[in-house]
Short mmCIF file of all heavy atoms in Angstrom, two decimals:
data_model
loop_
_atom_site.label_atom_id
_atom_site.label_comp_id
_atom_site.label_asym_id
_atom_site.label_seq_id
_atom_site.Cartn_x
_atom_site.Cartn_y
_atom_site.Cartn_z
N SER A 9 -14.74 22.80 -1.80
CA SER A 9 -13.34 22.72 -1.35
C SER A 9 -12.53 21.65 -2.15
O SER A 9 -13.17 20.83 -2.83
CB SER A 9 -13.21 22.45 0.10
OG SER A 9 -13.73 21.14 0.40
N ILE A 10 -11.29 21.79 -2.11
CA ILE A 10 -10.32 20.74 -2.55
C ILE A 10 -9.93 20.07 -1.28
O ILE A 10 -9.22 20.63 -0.39
CB ILE A 10 -9.18 21.30 -3.29
CG1 ILE A 10 -9.61 22.01 -4.58
CG2 ILE A 10 -8.14 20.21 -3.64
CD1 ILE A 10 -8.49 22.81 -5.33
N LEU A 11 -10.25 18.79 -1.14
CA LEU A 11 -9.97 17.97 0.07
C LEU A 11 -8.83 17.09 -0.14
O LEU A 11 -8.85 16.26 -1.12
CB LEU A 11 -11.24 17.21 0.48
CG LEU A 11 -11.06 16.24 1.70
CD1 LEU A 11 -10.65 16.95 2.93
CD2 LEU A 11 -12.44 15.50 1.92
N VAL A 12 -7.76 17.26 0.62
CA VAL A 12 -6.53 16.39 0.47
C VAL A 12 -6.47 15.43 1.65
O VAL A 12 -6.61 15.86 2.81
CB VAL A 12 -5.29 17.24 0.42
CG1 VAL A 12 -4.05 16.37 0.26
CG2 VAL A 12 -5.33 18.30 -0.68
N ALA A 13 -6.33 14.18 1.34
CA ALA A 13 -6.26 13.15 2.37
C ALA A 13 -4.97 13.24 3.21
O ALA A 13 -4.04 14.03 2.84
CB ALA A 13 -6.34 11.74 1.74
N PRO A 14 -4.94 12.64 4.35
CA PRO A 14 -3.66 12.61 5.08
C PRO A 14 -2.52 12.22 4.14
O PRO A 14 -2.63 11.32 3.34
CB PRO A 14 -3.91 11.53 6.14
CG PRO A 14 -5.37 11.53 6.35
CD PRO A 14 -5.98 11.84 4.98
N HIS A 15 -1.39 12.94 4.34
CA HIS A 15 -0.25 12.73 3.34
C HIS A 15 1.04 12.85 4.07
O HIS A 15 1.14 13.18 5.25
CB HIS A 15 -0.36 13.79 2.26
CG HIS A 15 0.03 15.18 2.81
ND1 HIS A 15 1.25 15.75 2.73
CD2 HIS A 15 -0.77 16.16 3.40
CE1 HIS A 15 1.31 16.95 3.25
NE2 HIS A 15 0.09 17.22 3.69
N ARG A 16 2.10 12.55 3.33
CA ARG A 16 3.47 12.72 3.83
C ARG A 16 4.31 13.48 2.84
O ARG A 16 5.55 13.27 2.76
CB ARG A 16 4.05 11.33 4.09
CG ARG A 16 3.32 10.54 5.24
CD ARG A 16 3.89 9.14 5.51
NE ARG A 16 3.02 8.48 6.43
CZ ARG A 16 3.22 7.17 6.75
NH1 ARG A 16 4.21 6.51 6.23
NH2 ARG A 16 2.40 6.61 7.65
N PHE A 17 3.70 14.32 2.03
CA PHE A 17 4.48 15.20 1.12
C PHE A 17 5.24 16.27 1.85
O PHE A 17 4.78 16.69 2.87
CB PHE A 17 3.56 15.81 0.11
CG PHE A 17 2.76 14.86 -0.76
CD1 PHE A 17 1.39 15.00 -0.95
CD2 PHE A 17 3.37 13.82 -1.44
CE1 PHE A 17 0.64 14.12 -1.70
CE2 PHE A 17 2.61 12.92 -2.22
CZ PHE A 17 1.27 13.05 -2.32
N PRO A 18 6.38 16.63 1.37
CA PRO A 18 7.11 17.79 1.96
C PRO A 18 6.30 19.05 2.07
O PRO A 18 6.36 19.83 2.98
CB PRO A 18 8.35 17.94 1.16
CG PRO A 18 8.57 16.60 0.47
CD PRO A 18 7.19 16.09 0.28
N ASN A 19 5.46 19.32 1.01
CA ASN A 19 4.60 20.49 0.97
C ASN A 19 3.45 20.26 0.02
O ASN A 19 3.46 19.26 -0.80
CB ASN A 19 5.38 21.69 0.59
CG ASN A 19 5.94 21.68 -0.88
OD1 ASN A 19 5.18 21.67 -1.83
ND2 ASN A 19 7.27 21.53 -0.95
N LEU A 20 2.47 21.11 0.10
CA LEU A 20 1.29 21.14 -0.86
C LEU A 20 1.26 22.43 -1.66
O LEU A 20 0.18 22.95 -1.84
CB LEU A 20 0.02 20.90 -0.06
CG LEU A 20 -0.13 19.53 0.68
CD1 LEU A 20 -1.43 19.53 1.44
CD2 LEU A 20 -0.15 18.39 -0.39
N ASN A 21 2.41 22.90 -2.08
CA ASN A 21 2.46 24.20 -2.75
C ASN A 21 1.61 24.18 -3.98
O ASN A 21 0.91 25.19 -4.29
CB ASN A 21 3.89 24.60 -3.06
CG ASN A 21 4.70 24.84 -1.79
OD1 ASN A 21 4.18 24.98 -0.71
ND2 ASN A 21 6.03 24.82 -1.93
N ARG A 22 1.71 23.12 -4.76
CA ARG A 22 0.95 23.04 -6.04
C ARG A 22 -0.57 23.03 -5.79
O ARG A 22 -1.33 23.66 -6.46
CB ARG A 22 1.37 21.85 -6.84
CG ARG A 22 2.75 21.97 -7.48
CD ARG A 22 3.09 20.72 -8.21
NE ARG A 22 4.36 20.81 -8.89
CZ ARG A 22 5.54 20.62 -8.31
NH1 ARG A 22 5.59 20.33 -7.06
NH2 ARG A 22 6.65 20.74 -9.00
N GLU A 23 -0.93 22.23 -4.82
CA GLU A 23 -2.30 22.11 -4.43
C GLU A 23 -2.91 23.43 -3.95
O GLU A 23 -4.02 23.85 -4.29
CB GLU A 23 -2.49 20.98 -3.42
CG GLU A 23 -2.23 19.60 -3.88
CD GLU A 23 -0.72 19.17 -3.91
OE1 GLU A 23 0.13 20.06 -3.69
OE2 GLU A 23 -0.50 18.07 -4.18
N ARG A 24 -2.12 24.09 -3.13
CA ARG A 24 -2.58 25.44 -2.55
C ARG A 24 -2.68 26.43 -3.71
O ARG A 24 -3.61 27.29 -3.76
CB ARG A 24 -1.64 25.86 -1.46
CG ARG A 24 -1.67 24.99 -0.21
CD ARG A 24 -0.84 25.51 0.89
NE ARG A 24 -0.70 24.51 1.98
CZ ARG A 24 -1.57 24.20 2.85
NH1 ARG A 24 -2.82 24.82 2.82
NH2 ARG A 24 -1.40 23.29 3.75
N ALA A 25 -1.73 26.39 -4.62
CA ALA A 25 -1.75 27.39 -5.79
C ALA A 25 -3.00 27.15 -6.63
O ALA A 25 -3.62 28.10 -7.12
CB ALA A 25 -0.48 27.19 -6.57
N LEU A 26 -3.36 25.85 -6.85
CA LEU A 26 -4.55 25.57 -7.60
C LEU A 26 -5.79 26.06 -6.91
O LEU A 26 -6.61 26.70 -7.53
CB LEU A 26 -4.68 24.05 -7.81
CG LEU A 26 -5.97 23.56 -8.47
CD1 LEU A 26 -6.00 24.02 -9.95
CD2 LEU A 26 -6.13 22.06 -8.39
N ALA A 27 -5.86 25.78 -5.63
CA ALA A 27 -7.07 26.27 -4.86
C ALA A 27 -7.22 27.79 -4.92
O ALA A 27 -8.26 28.36 -5.17
CB ALA A 27 -6.92 25.87 -3.39
N GLU A 28 -6.07 28.55 -4.73
CA GLU A 28 -6.05 29.99 -4.81
C GLU A 28 -6.46 30.46 -6.24
O GLU A 28 -7.22 31.39 -6.35
CB GLU A 28 -4.68 30.48 -4.48
CG GLU A 28 -4.65 32.05 -4.37
CD GLU A 28 -3.24 32.55 -3.90
OE1 GLU A 28 -2.45 31.70 -3.43
OE2 GLU A 28 -3.08 33.74 -4.01
N SER A 29 -5.94 29.85 -7.22
CA SER A 29 -6.22 30.32 -8.61
C SER A 29 -7.69 30.10 -9.01
O SER A 29 -8.19 30.85 -9.80
CB SER A 29 -5.35 29.52 -9.58
OG SER A 29 -5.71 28.17 -9.70
N LEU A 30 -8.37 29.15 -8.42
CA LEU A 30 -9.70 28.84 -8.75
C LEU A 30 -10.70 29.27 -7.61
O LEU A 30 -11.89 29.00 -7.70
CB LEU A 30 -9.89 27.38 -9.03
CG LEU A 30 -9.17 26.84 -10.24
CD1 LEU A 30 -9.42 25.28 -10.38
CD2 LEU A 30 -9.55 27.51 -11.48
N GLY A 31 -10.25 29.97 -6.65
CA GLY A 31 -11.05 30.48 -5.56
C GLY A 31 -11.70 29.45 -4.73
O GLY A 31 -12.81 29.58 -4.24
N ARG A 32 -10.95 28.36 -4.50
CA ARG A 32 -11.46 27.31 -3.63
C ARG A 32 -10.72 27.26 -2.34
O ARG A 32 -9.51 27.61 -2.25
CB ARG A 32 -11.32 25.93 -4.30
CG ARG A 32 -12.56 25.37 -4.96
CD ARG A 32 -12.90 26.16 -6.20
NE ARG A 32 -13.97 25.48 -6.99
CZ ARG A 32 -14.31 25.81 -8.23
NH1 ARG A 32 -13.71 26.86 -8.81
NH2 ARG A 32 -15.30 25.18 -8.82
N GLU A 33 -11.34 26.76 -1.29
CA GLU A 33 -10.67 26.51 -0.10
C GLU A 33 -9.97 25.08 -0.22
O GLU A 33 -10.46 24.17 -0.84
CB GLU A 33 -11.74 26.35 1.06
CG GLU A 33 -11.11 25.99 2.42
CD GLU A 33 -12.16 25.65 3.46
OE1 GLU A 33 -13.34 25.53 3.08
OE2 GLU A 33 -11.79 25.55 4.66
N ILE A 34 -8.81 25.05 0.41
CA ILE A 34 -8.11 23.73 0.44
C ILE A 34 -8.22 23.26 1.88
O ILE A 34 -7.95 23.96 2.82
CB ILE A 34 -6.65 23.87 -0.04
CG1 ILE A 34 -6.03 22.48 -0.09
CG2 ILE A 34 -5.79 24.78 0.80
CD1 ILE A 34 -4.75 22.31 -0.86
N VAL A 35 -8.62 22.01 1.99
CA VAL A 35 -8.72 21.34 3.29
C VAL A 35 -7.77 20.19 3.35
O VAL A 35 -7.84 19.32 2.44
CB VAL A 35 -10.17 20.85 3.54
CG1 VAL A 35 -10.27 20.15 4.88
CG2 VAL A 35 -11.12 22.09 3.52
#
Side-chain angles (χ1 to χ4, degrees):
S9 64
I10 297 172
L11 175 60
V12 181
H15 72 92
R16 296 178 186 174
F17 300 132
N19 64 68
L20 294 176
N21 294 343
R22 289 178 175 81
E23 291 82 353
R24 295 186 191 283
L26 175 68
E28 184 176 349
S29 70
L30 296 180
R32 261 71 170 189
E33 177 190 13
I34 185 166
V35 176

